[in-house]
Amino acid sequence: MRSRCKLLAIGLMMHFYWTVDGQSLLDSLPEVTPDANQTLTWWKTGVIYQVYPRSFKDSDGDGIGDIKGLISELDYFVYLGIDCIWLSPVYKSPMRDFGYDVSDFKDIDPIFGTIDDFKTLTQEVHNRGLKLITDFVPNHVSTDHEWFKKSVKRDGKYANYFIWHEGKRLSNGTVVEPNNWLSAFGGSAWQWNSERQEYYYHEFDPSQADLNYRDENLRWEMEDTLKYWLDLGVDGFRVDAFAPLYEVQNVSLDEPISGLNVPASESDYLKHIYTTNQPESIPTLSKWYDIMNEYVQRDGQDRYMIVEVFSTVDIRNRVYVTGACPFNFDLLHMSDAPTGREILDTIMNEYSHLPTGKWPNFVLGNHDSRRISHKYGSQYVNVYNMLLLTLWGTPTTYYGEELGMLEAVISWADTVDPAGRNAGPERYQNFTRDPERSPMQWTPGYQSGFTKGNSTWLPLALNHTSLNVQAEKESQEQTTLKLYKELVALRKKQAFQTGKFKVSHVDDYIVCYTRESAFDQYLVILNFGHSAISDLGICGATSATVAALTPGVTSTEAGQRVQLESLILESGHGVILRLDLRT
């Protein structure tokens, strides 16, 4: 859970493999050899698919997606070959931040259904051989939560469940915020509570009060929450907003100015050295992972914990030490029109810094990030999907990216995201996360098959009558959905699970690499440029058999033997070639 401004502030360390004049060092192109003997658990070999529940499928006509709607479409994941569903929050909530403001960690919000519905979902997911991980939202709760109400009253053990401070008294007697800390959603991170007569800290919206992990009772409550959902059969957790879990104890400290050219009210105006990535966070995460691992030891069923942490390689590696996996968001933070060199460098930043024995992961989109079609252009969706699903490491797909969904056009009047609303009508488009959350497009019919109701909680994307699951399934031509399904199937090959990743060519437009095992070898050729590329013999092979190709490639077809010197790839096109086994 991040606002757009917070995402823009994060700089990742990049290590380029190119000469000063921009020419690739062909004699030292990267090569990565995974350990082929490691245990391949389901979360290593599989594909994770993020469901944003409000937007996936509505069963009761209120225009908001729900658990029963998700259950009704579980066979879609079987069709795609997906292994694991990551379900964004369905906890009880006043929905000021659409589920990330939890008011009861152990109940389902009526908008989404009931605990019994969740139990049915878990059972139906497992009946299909799939896995289910849920969002764990540990940093904050809604101010509607019973804990917060009791803390306001200083009620027993709850008194210090939150970050309270009496404020700073000026020479004229006025009481003001204890420091200059800023919220990720803009403005001061401190909110005055008139009943308690103190300020409370909120990293996000004022309705989301940060929890105080220096309180032992609070830590126990959160550990008990994990056990509750594990007892209900979930296969793991995605840990939300981990970086701000702890703050420094001395809240009189002002954070330094970042030097970025942004308004003084925006989060990026400060360097968040006192409110993110504090050293106490890692031991707390280790405890959570140990709890999950107790269940693994108990029943032998492997579980997965992946952590949202936007930060440097060093911070990610600290997460790896706990046993959990840090999300790698590097591909989300590339330039608007990345070259092949930048894309490869971003990939190698993950591989080259990966601790020994750990497993990488990649993600191209989520509920806080603009869709691929918006960031790079709709013509590049297929080539990015091909990249994501052929790399070594666990891929995570955001719902709708397998279709190439465009974003909805959201007016100020239709904006509901607090990050956008807080920015005001003149600047909301720089911060709102609504466009990437539009309803899933199932059919060309009424409301795109998302709901039978009269309205949808967010507007549908304008192209929903032509770009939807039904249309792409039934098309006689290759489609984004069909390609995605083919790519998921190819990932079952050993070459794409533990095969060597070896770059054979890279330039401003093209990235070519092989995935090689003792049993199968493939060459992946991707054109991220702005014009057609021909004579692809530069990628290190003369001829091969086409295993998969993006829609619109006319110079060859699947199953055909092709001479690479005659192969033409237009902008945004890609192809996977099966190479002859070397003898």
Side-chain angles (χ1 to χ4, degrees):
M1 173 190 157
R2 284 294 192 194
S3 67
R4 190 85 68 217
C5 61
K6 201 76 163 186
L7 288 172
L8 292 174
I10 297 160
L12 296 173
M13 296 294 292
M14 304 301 289
H15 300 270
F16 291 94
Y17 293 88
W18 322 113
T19 58
V20 174
D21 62 3
Q23 296 300 307
S24 60
L25 302 176
L26 294 177
D27 293 334
S28 58
L29 285 173
E31 179 177 314
V32 179
T33 304
D35 179 5
N37 296 318
Q38 61 189 291
T39 301
L40 294 180
T41 57
W42 60 264
W43 56 266
K44 292 181 179 178
T45 61
V47 177
I48 296 174
Y49 184 107
Q50 182 188 358
V51 168
Y52 191 71
R54 295 182 68 88
S55 300
F56 198 67
K57 186 63 179 286
D58 174 29
S59 71
D60 59 12
D62 66 355
I64 299 173
D66 48 47
I67 293 174
K68 286 184 177 178
L70 172 56
I71 293 171
S72 73
E73 296 293 351
L74 288 179
D75 287 341
Y76 177 62
F77 301 104
V78 177
Y79 163 80
L80 288 176
I82 294 297
D83 302 87
C84 177
I85 299 167
W86 154 26
L87 182 62
S88 291
V90 290
Y91 308 111
K92 192 172 182 180
S93 166
M95 297 294 161
R96 298 186 186 98
D97 194 22
F98 306 109
Y100 283 95
D101 50 328
V102 179
S103 60
D104 189 339
F105 281 115
K106 296 181 180 179
D107 200 1
I108 300 296
D109 194 90
I111 287 176
F112 298 124
T114 66
I115 282 288
D116 285 339
D117 292 335
F118 186 87
K119 291 177 180 177
T120 300
L121 171 64
T122 303
Q123 186 62 51
E124 291 297 323
V125 165
H126 291 159
N127 286 346
R128 289 166 173 79
L130 309 177
K131 303 293 184 180
L132 177 68
I133 64 174
T134 56
D135 247 310
F136 177 51
V137 187
N139 179 70
H140 51 266
V141 298
S142 167
T143 51
D144 287 0
H145 198 293
E146 193 65 23
W147 297 348
F148 186 79
K149 294 177 182 178
K150 290 182 177 181
S151 190
V152 167
K153 298 179 182 301
R154 305 177 192 267
D155 184 353
K157 69 175 185 178
Y158 302 100
N160 294 315
Y161 270 30
F162 299 88
I163 315 297
W164 293 101
H165 197 279
E166 67 274 11
K168 180 169 57 178
R169 188 172 295 276
L170 303 180
S171 58
N172 62 3
T174 303
V175 175
V176 297
E177 293 91 339
N179 57 38
N180 70 340
W181 296 354
L182 293 171
S183 164
F185 286 175
S188 173
W190 295 95
Q191 183 74 18
W192 179 254
N193 181 271
S194 58
E195 182 176 352
R196 180 156 165 153
Q197 288 291 295
E198 285 188 320
Y199 288 95
Y200 66 88
Y201 176 69
H202 58 91
E203 166 71 8
F204 298 102
D205 192 76
S207 66
Q208 294 164 295
D210 272 45
L211 294 166
N212 177 19
Y213 277 86
R214 299 185 189 281
D215 186 282
E216 183 179 13
N217 288 316
L218 183 278
R219 294 197 302 273
W220 179 89
E221 298 268 21
M222 300 308 287
E223 292 164 11
D224 189 60
T225 296
L226 289 173
K227 294 174 184 178
Y228 177 83
W229 292 102
L230 287 166
D231 287 340
L232 287 180
V234 302
D235 299 290
F237 302 95
R238 175 262 189 184
V239 179
D240 176 70
F242 178 69
L245 198 68
Y246 280 82
E247 305 76 25
V248 291
Q249 285 186 285
N250 183 3
V251 298
S252 67
L253 297 173
D254 283 341
E255 292 193 316
I257 295 172
S258 68
L260 296 175
N261 185 25
V262 297
S265 62
E266 286 187 15
S267 176
D268 289 352
Y269 185 75
L270 300 177
K271 292 181 180 179
H272 301 286
I273 62 173
Y274 298 136
T275 55
T276 61
N277 299 317
Q278 299 304 303
E280 299 90 339
S281 297
I282 296 303
T284 298
L285 181 63
S286 292
K287 177 62 176 176
W288 294 344
Y289 185 82
D290 289 345
I291 289 170
M292 191 181 71
N293 202 40
E294 289 173 9
Y295 284 75
V296 176
Q297 300 302 317
R298 188 182 305 172
D299 60 19
Q301 301 298 312
D302 198 45
R303 291 171 176 84
Y304 185 45
M305 181 176 283
I306 190 159
V307 182
E308 181 194 39
V309 54
F310 295 83
S311 196
T312 62
V313 166
D314 177 60
I315 298 297
R316 292 211 301 260
N317 286 351
R318 290 187 216 168
V319 171
Y320 272 122
V321 170
T322 69
C325 295
F327 257 129
N328 171 27
F329 294 109
D330 291 11
L331 291 174
L332 288 176
H333 302 141
M334 296 186 298
S335 61
D336 293 339
T339 64
R341 292 184 172 90
E342 181 182 350
I343 292 167
L344 176 60
D345 186 77
T346 303
I347 294 163
M348 292 308 301
N349 193 50
E350 171 78 342
Y351 292 156
S352 62
H353 292 97
L354 191 70
T356 302
K358 299 301 181 180
W359 189 265
N361 71 87
F362 294 95
V363 58
L364 278 168
N366 58 35
H367 60 291
D368 290 332
S369 179
R370 304 306 290 261
R371 288 195 177 273
I372 297 172
S373 58
H374 175 88
K375 288 187 291 187
Y376 306 124
S378 58
Q379 72 271 30
Y380 293 97
V381 169
N382 292 304
V383 75
Y384 275 104
N385 278 340
M386 187 171 279
L387 173 74
L388 178 69
L389 293 171
T390 57
L391 294 174
W392 170 46
T394 302
T396 298
T397 290
Y398 184 52
Y399 83 95
E401 296 292 12
E402 77 279 12
L403 302 175
M405 273 179 62
L406 305 184
E407 294 184 346
V409 177
I410 310 290
S411 68
W412 168 249
D414 288 332
T415 295
V416 294
D417 177 31
R421 298 297 301 180
N422 290 348
E426 301 301 321
R427 306 181 67 243
Y428 79 96
Q429 292 187 20
N430 294 330
F431 299 91
T432 180
R433 300 164 296 178
D434 288 334
E436 60 262 31
R437 299 176 178 183
S438 62
M440 180 69 170
Q441 295 159 196
W442 293 101
T443 73
Y446 181 72
Q447 304 286 33
S448 202
F450 168 72
T451 182
K452 295 179 181 178
N454 296 325
S455 62
T456 57
W457 81 283
L458 282 174
L460 292 159
L462 296 178
N463 67 332
H464 63 89
T465 57
S466 58
L467 196 163
N468 53 74
V469 173
Q470 180 181 325
E472 294 200 28
K473 268 188 177 182
E474 295 177 353
S475 174
Q476 298 302 306
E477 306 295 329
Q478 174 72 308
T479 65
T480 299
L481 179 64
K482 291 179 181 179
L483 171 64
Y484 186 91
K485 177 178 169 64
E486 292 169 4
L487 293 171
V488 172
L490 272 175
R491 284 191 60 81
K492 306 301 181 185
K493 301 287 187 181
Q494 186 172 345
F496 292 107
Q497 291 185 356
T498 57
K500 180 187 297 182
F501 173 91
K502 183 177 181 180
V503 179
S504 53
H505 178 80
V506 64
D507 57 34
D508 281 345
Y509 285 5
I510 292 288
V511 177
C512 307
Y513 51 87
T514 56
R515 298 301 313 279
E516 304 175 9
S517 74
F519 306 101
D520 43 12
Q521 299 172 4
Y522 293 87
L523 174 64
V524 182
I525 309 176
L526 308 170
N527 182 2
F528 296 99
H530 303 291
S531 61
I533 300 294
S534 58
D535 189 9
L536 287 163
I538 56 175
C539 290
T542 56
S543 66
T545 302
V546 178
L549 70 172
T550 55
V553 176
T554 58
S555 56
T556 187
E557 59 185 28
Q560 184 177 17
R561 187 80 179 178
V562 63
Q563 299 294 318
L564 267 68
E565 63 182 14
S566 63
L567 183 62
I568 300 173
L569 287 184
E570 300 288 342
S571 174
H573 285 178
V575 62
I576 301 174
L577 303 170
R578 187 171 66 251
L579 301 174
D580 297 327
L581 285 173
R582 297 170 183 167
T583 57

